[in-house]
Amino acid sequence: MGTLVSTLKDKLFDLTDMSMNNSFFSTAIKAIHLILHSTECSLWSINRNTTVGGEIKGKHSDLSTSVICRYNTEKYDIKRRTDYVHILERDLFNMVMDSANERGFFRGNRADVEKLSHQSMAFVNKFGLDDFISIPIPDRSDPEKIIALLELSFKEMIINNDECQECAKIIKSFFSTAFQRYSIYQKDELQKIYGNFNGGDIKSFFNNLINIEFRKFFDYQGASFFIWDSYGNVFRPITSTDKTIAYNDPTKAYPKDNGLTHTGWVGTTGMPSISDEISNYLWYEHIEGEPKTLMIVPIIDPANTNNVIGIVRFLNKKNRNNPDIVDFFNDIDLNLIQSYSQYLSLIIYFYNKEQDQVNLISKVAHEFKTPANAIYKSATRLLDSIEDNDEESLQKNLKSYLDDIADYANIQLWQAESTLYVTRSQQQKTKYRAKKCSLLNILSKSRSVSRPIARQEGIRFDNIKIHPQSYDNLNLMVDETAFVIVFYNLLTNAIKYHDAEYPDSFHVDIRYTVSDVAVEILVEDWGIGVEKKDKDAIFQVGYRGERAMRENSSGFGVGLSVAKQVITDFGGIISIKCLQRPTTFEILLPKTLII
Amino acid sequence: MNTENKRFQERKNILWVDDDVRKPALEPDRDELESKNCHIIEAAKPDEFLKIIKEDAYKIDGIIIDISIPIGNSLSIEETNNGTRTGLALIERLKESSNYQDVPVVVYSVINDEMVLSYCNKYEIPYLEKTMKSRDFANKIVEIIEK
C-alpha cells in the first residue's frame, strides 16, 4: 500500500475517536483534502423526493445534491445557487454509479468536472481542473441506497487508479459509518430533550423543538405541528415557528380525507413526504419568498398504527453553508424526525386523552352548574327581598323568579337523566323497563319538558308541533323514560341551535307514520343545520360539531349519543336524513315494537 | 333633574360578554348591577364583543368576561380550546387593544379549574365565581371598577 493510502487510513482512523458533532464532517473533509492534495474536496448529501403511487412527488427531479462541507485550496468567490444545491441529471448519476459499482469510484475529465462537480466552468478553467473523482457513500443499514457523494477535483492526475481505488474503499467505509454515527448522535441528543418532558405544556415543548432543537441538525424557514382532532375530522395547527395571518384563520385546518394536499396525503396514508412541488398559497408558517421545498412526517397513533394522530411539517430548508439558499430535504433529515416521531406520538396520545377528559369535565361542570346557579340566584334574590321587607320587589319578581327556578330545575333534572344513560350504557348496565306506551304521549311529554329550554332561548313554544296524522293511538312496547330522553335531546338540540337572528321564524315539526316494515318518526327543525362532515360524528359521545361550538356553548355532546344508544338498543336506526332547512332526523323503529 | 343628571354622569358602563347575559339565568345579577347605577352593554358572543371593542363606541368602565361561551366567527377553535376557554382567548385579544389597557377586567364564570384560576392569578385578573349571591356580585364589581 502506498504512503498516500496508508496516511489517509491512519488519519481517518484517528478521527473515529473524535466525538460526533456537527463539525465532524468538515474536519474529515479537510483532512482528506490535505492528504490527497486536491484543489477542492467536498461532501454532498443526496436528496430525493418521495415517490407517491409510482410517481415522483416533485417537479424538478427525484435527485438533487446539497453541499455539506467543502475545502478549496484556491480562493474563489462562490455565489451561484448551484454551487450549494444542484439538481442531478439521472443519466449522469447513473454513469457515476455504474463506474462506482465497477471499481468503487468515478473518474472524469474537464467536461465531467463541469457537469458533476457543480462548479462553474470559470472555476474549472481558472484553476485548470482536469481530474475529477466522485465516491458514492452508501447507507450503512441499506447499502443499495446512496446517501452522499464525496468529490475531489485536481489540477492534474496526482493519484493513480490503484491508489484511488484503495482510497475510495477507505473513504466509503469511513463516511458510511460516520453517517450512521451521526444519525445515532442526533437521535441521542433529541432523546435527551424528550427525557426532560415531564407532561407539562405540550405547546411549549413542541415550540421548543421546532424553534431550537430540530434546527441544531437541519435548519428551515418554517415548521409547524398539527394534531389530529378526531371530532373535528381535521388536523389542527398547534404551534408554528412564526405565525402568518392565516394561522388565526379559523377555517384553516386540514381535513384528513383531503389526499390532494401533501398534508392530506400524509394524513391519509401515514407515509412521509419530501417534495419540491408546493402550492404557492398562504402557509401557516411564515417564510421568505415562495414555498419551494417541503418535508412532512406523520406521527402515528401508538395504539393503532393505521391512525395518524399528528403531523410535523417543515418548509424551505436552509442550506447549511448559505442560509439564504433554499435547499432540499433529504433522508438524513427524514430519518431523524421519523425516529423521533415515536416519542412525539406518545406525547400527543396522552395529551389528547387528557384534553378530552379536561374538556368533558369542564363542559359537564358548566352544564350542571349553570342551572343550579340560576336556581340559587333566583332563590337568594327572593329571600333577600323577604329579609328586606321589600314588598315591591317581591310583588314584581315573585312569579318570574319562581318560573326560573322551576325551569332551571327541570333543565338540570333532564340533563341528569341523559348523563346517567350515557354512563350506564358505557358500563353496559342499562336496564330498560319496557311497557306499553303511547308514542303520542312520549312525544308530547318530550315537547313539554323542552319548554324551559325554549323559554330560556327565547323560542315560541307554539312553534314546536307534533303532527300525529292518523296514528294517534299508536302504542309501542318501549321504555317510556328512555324514549322521552331521546326526543327531549332531539328537541332541545334543535332549540339550542336555532338561528339567533331569526328566533320567531324557527320551528320544529315532528311527524310519524307506519310503513310496511317500520315506524318512521321525523324530527324537522329550521335551525342552523348540520355540516356534512359532522353527519355521523355527532352521534359520538363528547362530539360537538364546529358550527355548534361557534354558535352555542351549552351542551357537552351526549344528547345524540344517548338517543342513538336507546334507539339502537330497541332495534331501531337513527340518522340524519337532511342536513339543513329543515335539518331532519329520521328514526326507524321495528314494527314488532307496536302493541 | 339635577340629581338625575348627576346619576347619569356617574353611571358606569360595563361591557359584559356572556352567552347567558340576556337570559333569565343572569337576570338577578343584571338587576343588582343596574340598581347600582351600572349600564350593561351586552355581548352574547365574541363577535359582538370584539366589534364593540374595535369600534370603541362607548366609554367602558369595566369588562366582565365569562369563560365558556360560543366561539363565534372571530376566534379559532384552537385558541379557545374547543370553546371551553373562549373567555381567555378574548382577554388575549383585549391585551392587543391599547384603548383598554387600563380598563378593569373581571372573569365571572362557573368554570373554576386550575387553568382558569392560574391564568387569572398570573395576569392579576379578579376571578368571581357565578355561585355568589347577586348582591355580593354587584358590590364586588362596583368595588373593582371604583378602585
Side-chain angles (χ1 to χ4, degrees):
Chain A
M1 194 190 293
T3 316
L4 199 69
V5 178
S6 58
T7 310
L8 180 71
K9 193 174 183 180
D10 290 347
K11 180 65 185 172
L12 292 183
F13 182 78
D14 286 348
L15 281 180
T16 53
D17 285 343
M18 182 182 168
S19 63
M20 184 53 75
N21 57 38
N22 284 337
S23 63
F24 181 87
F25 290 102
S26 51
T27 308
I29 288 297
K30 188 177 181 185
I32 294 169
H33 169 70
L34 293 174
I35 292 166
L36 299 183
H37 302 289
S38 61
T39 307
E40 181 181 91
C41 179
S42 54
L43 183 65
W44 299 76
S45 66
I46 299 280
N47 316 310
R48 291 177 183 81
N49 284 310
T50 312
T51 304
V52 182
E55 288 181 24
I56 303 300
K57 208 172 169 65
K59 63 182 173 186
H60 294 305
S61 164
D62 61 331
L63 270 182
S64 62
T65 56
S66 307
V67 69
I68 296 172
C69 49
R70 62 152 62 89
Y71 258 90
N72 283 325
T73 306
E74 308 294 343
K75 281 194 175 177
Y76 185 73
D77 192 12
I78 297 168
K79 283 179 183 168
R80 299 188 320 166
R81 183 173 191 271
T82 50
D83 293 328
Y84 297 95
V85 181
H86 198 78
I87 304 285
L88 270 185
E89 295 296 331
R90 171 59 78 174
D91 288 348
L92 285 169
F93 183 68
N94 286 345
M95 190 173 84
V96 172
M97 289 310 298
D98 286 347
S99 174
N101 285 336
E102 203 177 301
R103 55 180 183 173
F105 64 95
F106 169 85
R107 190 161 206 169
N109 56 24
R110 188 180 289 211
D112 298 321
V113 175
E114 155 73 357
K115 286 175 188 164
L116 291 170
S117 74
H118 329 302
Q119 304 291 1
S120 72
M121 211 56 201
F123 177 70
V124 173
N125 287 330
K126 184 175 180 183
F127 300 109
L129 303 179
D130 264 336
D131 190 23
F132 169 76
I133 294 166
S134 179
I135 302 166
I137 312 294
D139 184 345
R140 196 171 166 83
S141 55
D142 180 6
E144 294 292 308
K145 195 166 157 187
I146 301 303
I147 52 171
L149 292 172
L150 183 125
E151 297 185 344
L152 293 153
S153 299
F154 302 91
K155 290 179 181 173
E156 56 189 291
M157 288 181 78
I158 298 171
I159 50 176
N160 63 38
N161 279 343
D162 289 342
E163 284 174 322
C164 195
Q165 199 161 18
E166 288 300 317
C167 288
K169 269 187 206 166
I170 295 164
I171 287 170
K172 198 179 283 187
S173 170
F174 173 81
F175 280 103
S176 226
T177 308
F179 275 112
Q180 192 181 46
R181 278 184 64 203
Y182 185 60
S183 170
I184 293 167
Y185 155 75
Q186 288 180 315
K187 286 170 191 169
D188 284 350
E189 290 297 301
L190 282 181
Q191 198 175 342
K192 287 178 196 164
I193 309 299
Y194 175 74
N196 294 337
F197 181 63
N198 55 9
D201 181 0
I202 184 174
K203 280 188 192 178
S204 302
F205 183 74
F206 282 176
N207 206 34
N208 180 51
L209 284 178
I210 55 177
N211 276 308
I212 297 169
E213 301 302 337
F214 290 162
R215 284 191 200 277
K216 289 177 183 168
F217 306 109
F218 63 98
D219 206 358
Y220 35 82
Q221 289 185 1
S224 55
F225 271 102
F226 292 76
I227 288 189
W228 174 241
D229 172 357
S230 59
Y231 291 138
N233 211 28
V234 288
F235 286 102
R236 292 196 192 288
I238 185 159
T239 187
S240 182
T241 42
D242 194 6
K243 293 172 193 172
T244 61
I245 299 163
Y247 185 82
N248 281 329
D249 181 346
T251 63
K252 287 282 178 189
Y254 286 90
K256 196 176 202 175
D257 54 4
N258 187 356
L260 297 174
T261 65
H262 286 281
T263 308
W265 183 80
V266 173
T268 314
T269 62
M271 302 287 286
S273 171
I274 292 180
S275 183
D276 59 354
E277 187 173 12
I278 310 165
S279 310
N280 188 14
Y281 72 93
L282 195 57
W283 292 70
Y284 291 117
E285 304 86 350
H286 175 75
I287 53 170
E288 300 294 332
E290 285 182 23
K292 286 179 180 166
T293 59
L294 175 72
M295 178 170 81
I296 310 176
V297 180
I299 300 163
I300 308 292
D301 186 346
N304 176 5
T305 51
N306 293 321
N307 194 24
V308 180
I309 55 171
I311 273 171
V312 55
R313 190 166 82 179
F314 304 89
L315 207 58
N316 282 5
K317 184 178 169 179
K318 291 181 182 176
N319 183 268
R320 186 192 288 250
N321 295 279
N322 186 345
D324 293 336
I325 288 178
V326 175
D327 205 341
F328 297 91
F329 293 97
N330 60 38
D331 286 343
I332 300 167
D333 310 327
L334 181 64
N335 288 341
L336 174 66
I337 304 300
Q338 256 190 314
S339 67
Y340 196 60
S341 72
Q342 58 186 306
Y343 298 112
L344 301 173
S345 75
L346 288 173
I347 292 172
I348 293 176
Y349 179 79
F350 289 111
Y351 169 78
N352 278 346
K353 289 270 173 216
E354 195 179 283
Q355 283 298 301
D356 287 349
Q357 205 169 16
V358 167
N359 286 347
L360 189 65
I361 290 168
S362 172
K363 295 303 289 179
V364 170
H366 180 260
E367 290 308 287
F368 281 93
K369 283 168 94 173
T370 297
N373 197 35
I375 294 166
Y376 174 73
K377 280 183 191 299
S378 297
T380 52
R381 189 81 204 278
L382 286 177
L383 286 170
D384 283 347
S385 299
I386 292 167
E387 277 173 20
D388 295 348
N389 282 324
D390 188 347
E391 282 294 328
E392 190 189 333
S393 170
L394 262 179
Q395 286 281 331
K396 187 180 145 198
N397 297 321
L398 186 60
K399 182 166 186 319
S400 86
Y401 283 179
L402 285 176
D403 277 345
D404 289 342
I405 289 170
D407 277 0
Y408 282 109
N410 183 305
I411 290 168
Q412 198 175 34
L413 191 67
W414 285 94
Q415 266 173 354
E417 285 285 4
S418 279
T419 313
L420 284 175
Y421 266 85
V422 173
T423 37
R424 277 190 209 139
S425 67
Q426 283 189 336
Q427 295 168 341
Q428 297 178 323
K429 284 181 179 171
T430 309
K431 286 183 182 154
Y432 295 106
R433 287 183 280 272
K435 61 176 186 176
K436 184 180 170 184
C437 309
S438 154
L439 179 58
L440 183 58
N441 277 350
I442 288 171
L443 295 174
S444 301
K445 190 167 181 187
S446 308
R447 177 178 177 270
S448 172
V449 294
S450 306
R451 183 193 284 265
I453 296 270
R455 184 168 164 259
Q456 306 308 319
E457 296 289 336
I459 295 297
R460 286 181 57 197
F461 192 58
D462 292 347
N463 286 350
I464 300 166
K465 290 178 181 149
I466 300 169
H467 305 270
Q469 296 169 338
S470 57
Y471 302 98
D472 286 8
N473 298 318
L474 185 64
N475 291 312
L476 302 174
M477 193 66 177
V478 293
D479 183 314
E480 187 176 348
T481 308
F483 270 67
V484 169
I485 287 171
V486 169
F487 292 103
Y488 167 80
N489 280 316
L490 288 173
L491 285 174
T492 53
N493 261 7
I495 293 165
K496 281 185 210 166
Y497 300 114
H498 68 276
D499 189 339
E501 298 285 313
Y502 309 103
D504 291 341
S505 64
F506 173 78
H507 59 281
V508 185
D509 295 300
I510 306 170
R511 305 169 204 281
Y512 59 94
T513 57
V514 180
S515 71
D516 290 346
V517 290
V519 178
E520 181 185 21
I521 308 159
L522 297 176
V523 181
E524 304 170 337
D525 75 74
W526 270 255
I528 61 168
V530 174
E531 288 180 283
K532 192 178 172 189
K533 68 180 173 71
D534 297 333
K535 194 178 171 194
D536 297 320
I538 55 173
F539 292 103
Q540 293 172 24
V541 177
Y543 182 84
R544 297 190 73 224
E546 181 168 337
R547 193 178 287 176
M549 282 192 270
R550 293 199 179 281
E551 296 296 326
N552 199 310
S553 72
S554 63
F556 48 101
V558 297
L560 290 177
S561 70
V562 171
K564 184 172 185 178
Q565 186 68 50
V566 172
I567 297 299
T568 308
D569 287 348
F570 279 86
I573 298 166
I574 181 168
S575 62
I576 299 181
K577 203 174 176 185
C578 180
L579 294 173
Q580 54 192 332
R581 305 202 81 77
T583 305
T584 308
F585 283 86
E586 181 187 62
I587 292 167
L588 297 172
L589 294 171
K591 276 180 79 173
T592 49
L593 292 176
I594 298 176
I595 193 164
Chain B
M1 189 65 186
N2 281 342
T3 314
E4 273 303 299
N5 262 344
K6 190 174 176 230
R7 189 173 161 74
F8 182 79
Q9 279 170 4
E10 287 174 355
R11 198 175 70 163
K12 303 290 182 196
N13 281 330
I14 295 175
L15 174 56
W16 190 349
V17 56
D18 189 321
D19 53 328
D20 287 332
V21 72
R22 298 180 183 118
K23 291 181 186 172
L26 293 178
E27 196 177 315
D29 291 345
R30 283 203 312 270
D31 287 350
E32 284 290 349
L33 264 185
E34 280 165 355
S35 74
K36 296 194 178 302
N37 198 22
C38 291
H39 170 63
I40 299 164
I41 302 152
E42 299 166 346
K45 279 188 190 168
D47 305 338
E48 293 174 43
F49 176 80
L50 293 170
K51 188 167 180 275
I52 292 167
I53 297 291
K54 191 179 172 190
E55 289 176 353
D56 198 21
Y58 300 89
K59 183 193 168 294
I60 306 284
D61 298 297
I63 296 172
I64 302 172
I65 295 184
D66 186 20
I67 295 297
S68 183
I69 38 183
I71 299 165
N73 295 313
S74 310
L75 302 173
S76 72
I77 289 181
E78 194 262 338
E79 69 186 309
T80 63
N81 199 14
N82 290 301
T84 59
R85 300 286 180 271
T86 309
L88 300 187
L90 285 180
I91 295 173
E92 288 296 312
R93 293 287 179 97
L94 203 56
K95 284 186 203 162
E96 294 166 9
S97 176
S98 56
N99 291 351
Y100 295 88
Q101 296 299 316
D102 299 325
V103 177
V105 175
V106 178
V107 168
Y108 187 49
S109 176
V110 291
I111 306 293
N112 60 355
D113 58 34
E114 182 59 29
M115 186 181 174
V116 172
L117 296 181
S118 59
Y119 182 94
C120 291
N121 195 33
K122 183 177 174 185
Y123 294 105
E124 297 181 347
I125 297 169
Y127 172 87
L128 302 180
E129 194 164 351
K130 273 187 179 168
T131 48
M132 67 195 305
K133 284 171 76 171
S134 299
R135 190 170 287 181
D136 296 340
F137 158 75
N139 287 335
K140 195 76 191 166
I141 292 291
V142 171
E143 181 191 317
I144 291 167
I145 289 170
E146 287 180 347
K147 197 158 85 178

